[in-house]
Amino acid sequence: MKYFTLALAALAFITTNAQNVKRESVQVEYISRPSEPLPAGVTTYNVVVNQSYRDQFEAELQQWEIDTQLAQETYAAEMEAYNAKGTGAKILERALLDEKKPQLVLPRKPVATERIFEPGIISSKIDMQGMTRIEGGAVVTIEILNYEASDPVEGRRESRDKEGNVLYKYYLAMKYRQPIRFTLELPDGSIVIDEMLTSSEDFTNYTSDNYTSKSALNKAWDQMAVNNRLSQMSVEAGCIAINSILNDRFCFSKKTRPMTIYHAKTKKKVDYTDLNNAALDMKMAMEKYLDKPAEAAEGIRACVAVWEQVLTEADFENKKARINRKMAGLLYLNLINANIWLEDYDRVDALFDEMRRLDTKKSADGTADGLDTFSEDQRRRKEINS
């Protein structure tokens, strides 16, 4: 990390005037550029959902239908031959050959042992923002592989009541996983991503509710229902993760990032009206960042001017100064955030350097941790999409 040494650059520091610090919080909505932009002209996509078990079960159903039809045809032929015989012949065959009237024996219809997902429902959870969903463009393929689960193992928990009596609770525990693979193929046939969803590869522990007796536990336990529920939860979570990955890497997607704006409480002896107004103005500007970018940028620049001017009066040696080391550190955080959103990343680098030179490590009631990483990521995304 370029500014790893600043990870703790503004950790909380308790002082006698800590109550002076005020914060304005805002959720900044913005359009994030893709980290791996798709080739020019690739503006449409479609989603295909495959499930290994669904294909297997549908094949079993097709075979069952074939076997059922064959059994019915065989029975009909046997009945036709049987009915063509006279009564005497039927009695004689029954006595000598122990042959009885033909019986219709149908094969047992297959019963699903895994949850079967509807492709349309799963595909609807993928939304590549900024792209149009139609046939003929890029293709997202989601492969839902076979669900796996261990046999449940019975467990017992021991506790005591107020009188000291030993109480037992019984439960079942198992491990499961629902592997999911996904790909993104471009119209020219090239594949830009082919990954197994990491979170779906590892087994997850599942524990049932506790019951006062083994019989109550066994009565409540439905293995098929548990498997279906866990599989569905895994696939739903997987779709959310896949959608996030696709949008982050390949789309101009809407994101939200929390931001804290620092100022101070005005008192009789110390007037922070300029910082109070700037903080509120900055909050209003950031609320317009997505829908009114030009107006937001103008407001951000006005706040930057205030904070830079106020920083000129900073006294790093005087704790009682209006802008002491602590307050200066907070203003640096404000300026770094502001310049990130103005996309002036060179200025952000300069501000980080100033913080380091001025030794503001324990002067701010916030944290710069993550701001450097976010700034570098935003810079890289802007450059690669230019």
Side-chain angles (χ1 to χ4, degrees):
M1 185 181 296
K2 182 175 181 181
Y3 296 104
F4 181 75
T5 57
L6 293 174
L8 301 177
L11 285 175
F13 181 67
I14 306 301
T15 64
T16 55
N17 65 343
Q19 66 272 19
N20 288 342
V21 176
K22 297 184 70 176
R23 304 166 187 80
E24 303 299 329
S25 298
V26 62
Q27 294 291 327
V28 183
E29 293 183 337
Y30 66 104
I31 298 300
S32 175
R33 300 177 179 91
S35 62
E36 302 172 36
L38 296 175
V42 180
T43 59
T44 63
Y45 75 103
N46 192 31
V47 182
V48 175
V49 178
N50 299 322
Q51 182 182 4
S52 301
Y53 183 72
R54 185 181 69 237
D55 297 339
Q56 174 188 329
F57 185 67
E58 288 178 352
E60 291 176 359
L61 283 178
Q62 290 177 358
Q63 188 60 51
W64 170 77
E65 291 174 353
I66 293 172
D67 294 343
T68 299
Q69 183 177 355
L70 179 59
Q72 291 172 336
E73 291 173 352
T74 301
Y75 171 72
E78 291 176 349
M79 281 299 299
E80 183 178 357
Y82 179 80
N83 292 331
K85 296 176 182 180
T87 303
K90 293 177 182 177
I91 294 174
L92 181 62
E93 288 179 355
R94 187 177 304 165
L96 297 177
L97 304 176
D98 194 27
E99 291 190 2
K100 300 178 182 180
K101 182 178 180 180
Q103 299 293 319
L104 176 61
V105 180
L106 295 174
R108 179 175 297 179
K109 186 175 182 179
V111 176
T113 57
E114 290 188 28
R115 185 174 190 85
I116 297 176
F117 295 92
E118 174 58 43
I121 294 177
I122 300 301
S123 65
S124 68
K125 298 182 182 299
I126 304 301
D127 176 21
M128 297 187 71
Q129 297 180 37
M131 299 180 68
T132 304
R133 185 166 178 156
I134 58 173
E135 299 279 352
V139 178
V140 177
T141 300
I142 298 176
E143 298 276 353
I144 303 173
L145 306 180
N146 288 94
Y147 173 84
E148 302 173 50
S150 65
D151 293 330
V153 177
E154 186 178 286
R156 185 180 73 177
R157 293 189 176 93
E158 181 179 317
S159 62
R160 293 180 181 275
D161 60 17
K162 294 181 179 180
E163 287 72 34
N165 300 314
V166 178
L167 303 175
Y168 294 108
K169 296 285 187 178
Y170 300 90
Y171 63 90
L172 289 173
M174 56 177 274
K175 296 178 181 293
Y176 72 95
R177 69 177 179 181
Q178 175 64 81
I180 304 173
R181 191 180 194 90
F182 67 103
T183 63
L184 176 60
E185 181 179 356
L186 301 184
D188 63 4
S190 60
I191 296 176
V192 294
I193 186 171
D194 182 354
E195 296 182 6
M196 182 75 75
L197 196 62
T198 304
S199 60
S200 72
E201 290 187 280
D202 299 326
F203 280 93
T204 301
N205 294 318
Y206 171 77
T207 303
S208 72
D209 292 334
N210 296 319
Y211 293 86
T212 56
S213 67
K214 293 183 180 180
S215 59
L217 170 62
N218 293 330
K219 183 178 180 180
W221 181 261
D222 184 337
Q223 184 71 64
M224 188 62 190
V226 170
N227 287 342
N228 281 346
R229 179 160 54 87
L230 296 177
S231 179
Q232 181 175 4
M233 289 171 56
S234 298
V235 170
E236 289 178 351
C239 287
I240 293 173
I242 291 170
N243 192 64
S244 177
I245 292 170
L246 291 174
N247 276 282
D248 181 65
R249 291 173 63 172
F250 307 112
C251 300
F252 289 84
S253 57
K254 180 180 176 181
K255 292 184 180 180
T256 302
R257 180 178 173 85
M259 176 182 173
T260 301
I261 309 159
Y262 297 96
H263 55 128
K265 184 178 180 180
T266 293
K267 293 186 174 183
K268 291 182 179 179
K269 295 183 179 180
V270 188
D271 186 1
Y272 289 108
T273 302
D274 51 353
L275 297 185
N276 301 151
N277 291 338
L280 295 176
D281 288 344
M282 184 66 176
K283 182 176 181 179
M284 288 188 290
M286 297 314 301
E287 289 171 346
K288 302 173 184 177
Y289 192 80
L290 181 63
D291 298 327
K292 300 178 179 179
E295 188 174 333
E298 183 180 353
I300 295 172
R301 291 190 184 94
C303 295
V304 165
V306 172
W307 292 325
E308 288 183 339
Q309 175 60 39
V310 171
L311 264 180
T312 62
E313 67 178 86
D315 187 341
F316 288 85
E317 304 303 324
N318 183 2
K319 291 183 179 180
K320 295 183 179 181
R322 187 176 91 101
I323 307 301
N324 56 18
R325 289 177 59 183
K326 179 179 181 179
M327 199 64 235
L330 295 174
L331 294 180
Y332 270 108
L333 289 180
N334 287 350
L335 284 168
I336 288 170
N337 261 310
N339 282 280
I340 288 175
W341 295 115
L342 289 173
E343 298 189 332
D344 189 348
Y345 302 113
D346 290 339
R347 179 59 180 152
V348 171
D349 291 348
L351 287 166
F352 271 118
D353 289 341
E354 286 179 25
M355 285 183 69
R356 181 166 52 188
R357 288 199 306 272
L358 295 172
D359 190 24
T360 60
K361 282 187 177 182
K362 295 181 179 180
S363 62
D365 191 54
T367 175
D369 190 15
L371 278 178
D372 51 354
T373 304
F374 179 63
S375 177
E376 286 301 303
D377 182 61
Q378 293 300 98
R379 180 203 293 268
R380 188 178 65 83
R381 289 173 184 264
K382 182 179 180 180
E383 290 174 349
I384 201 171
N385 284 277
S386 297

